[in-house]
Amino acid sequence: MCGRFTLNLAPAVLQEWFDIIEGVDYPPRFNIAPTQPVIVIADQEKLRRAILMRWGLVPMWVKDPREFPLIINARTETLPEKPAFKGGLRHHRCIIPASGYYEWRKGADGKKQPYYITLKDSEPMAFAGVYSTWMGPDGEEIDTTAIITLSANKDIRHIHERMPALIGKSQIDDWLNVRGVNEKEAYAMLRALPEGKLDWHPVSTRINSVQNDDLHLLDVVSEARPETPKKPVSKQMDLF
């Protein structure tokens, strides 16, 4: 699965790399977590836009999102069939830009060691995603998204069995083109990266707390380091 990621690209780099119509102002983030607002790139009304959406998909047919389970990932194996995803694959494909992401490896002692994973060439990551606009009974609208995942490649299978589906730069136009590229053609793009494309290193267990969001979360460690408990201060935005 993919449960935490980072985005510390300069806004100008994001605009140029993903060819969006205008820049978007955002602070660097080093511990993006489910239910938080995330930047999502989608083609809407023939224009490529960067939009804030809640990470946690709520299909448009849900009556009460408070009673619906949190869906942060969509598995490729069930993407074309599950009601929550198949409409998104056809009509609402998107990209979630990232600098890297975190995954946890469970040791023999049961403890989990977090790792930070990036592309070796340091290029931006383009997570394949689907999104939905939920409309409430009073006319309110909430845009939500989920990251598509697939079986991990050999590079990182020793860390975790799943990884985000990454769209190559040359495929971004086709992935986002829901009018000209059908769901079968788009689904064929969801393939694991070849070996040798990823870098990874262990990081502190400070990443386990969503209250921590700083550059030092990316520091290389030899083993997990306990942190001094702090009074929680929520940085999440409640979109419900």
Side-chain angles (χ1 to χ4, degrees):
M1 63 176 295
C2 176
R4 300 285 177 85
F5 66 96
T6 68
L7 180 62
N8 58 338
L9 303 172
V13 173
L14 184 82
Q15 181 179 1
E16 180 180 359
W17 185 267
F18 294 100
D19 195 26
I20 54 180
I21 60 172
E22 58 186 3
V24 56
D25 190 22
Y26 61 89
R29 294 292 312 281
F30 301 97
N31 194 4
I32 300 171
T35 76
Q36 293 179 348
V38 296
I39 293 176
V40 171
I41 297 169
D43 284 355
Q44 295 185 339
E45 299 175 356
K46 299 182 180 180
L47 295 174
R48 185 162 301 171
R49 305 177 185 276
I51 310 160
L52 279 179
M53 296 188 184
R54 191 196 82 148
W55 184 13
L57 189 77
V58 179
M60 60 183 302
W61 40 262
V62 170
K63 292 183 178 180
D64 186 350
R66 295 176 182 85
E67 298 179 357
F68 192 74
L70 184 66
I71 300 178
I72 63 170
N73 294 155
R75 296 173 65 94
T76 52
E77 294 87 345
T78 56
L79 191 65
E81 290 85 25
K82 279 204 170 183
F85 306 136
K86 64 180 182 180
L89 180 62
R90 180 179 299 175
H91 300 296
H92 296 123
R93 300 192 295 267
C94 65
I95 292 289
I96 297 92
S99 300
Y101 72 99
Y102 301 96
E103 201 53 85
W104 284 255
R105 181 174 70 179
K106 188 175 182 180
D109 58 0
K111 295 181 179 179
K112 293 184 177 181
Q113 170 65 54
Y115 287 78
Y116 184 56
I117 302 167
T118 60
L119 289 171
K120 273 189 175 179
D121 54 17
S122 299
E123 288 187 346
M125 286 182 159
F127 296 161
V130 291
Y131 71 95
S132 176
T133 299
W134 179 81
M135 300 185 65
D138 299 323
E140 68 269 35
E141 295 185 6
I142 301 172
D143 294 321
T144 62
T145 189
I147 295 169
I148 298 172
T149 67
L150 38 64
S151 295
N153 70 1
K154 290 183 179 180
D155 284 342
I156 59 169
R157 200 171 294 160
H158 65 288
I159 298 174
H160 198 276
E161 62 182 8
R162 307 290 296 179
M163 67 178 293
L166 299 177
I167 300 297
K169 195 172 190 300
S170 63
Q171 294 181 308
I172 289 175
D173 288 347
D174 286 341
W175 174 257
L176 296 180
N177 182 12
V178 295
R179 294 176 180 270
V181 177
N182 65 38
E183 64 269 33
K184 290 184 179 180
E185 294 168 327
Y187 187 74
M189 300 179 198
L190 303 174
R191 296 291 181 264
L193 287 178
E195 288 183 70
K197 296 290 187 180
L198 296 170
D199 262 336
W200 62 91
H201 63 261
V203 295
S204 168
T205 53
R206 291 181 62 241
I207 189 63
N208 295 346
S209 171
V210 296
Q211 314 306 328
N212 298 320
D213 191 348
D214 58 79
L215 178 61
H216 291 296
L217 292 175
L218 309 185
D219 291 348
V220 180
V221 301
S222 56
E223 59 183 357
R225 300 174 181 172
E227 66 166 328
T228 302
K230 298 179 180 178
K231 183 178 179 180
V233 178
S234 177
K235 290 186 179 180
Q236 299 192 32
M237 294 176 61
D238 185 0
L239 300 190
F240 292 126

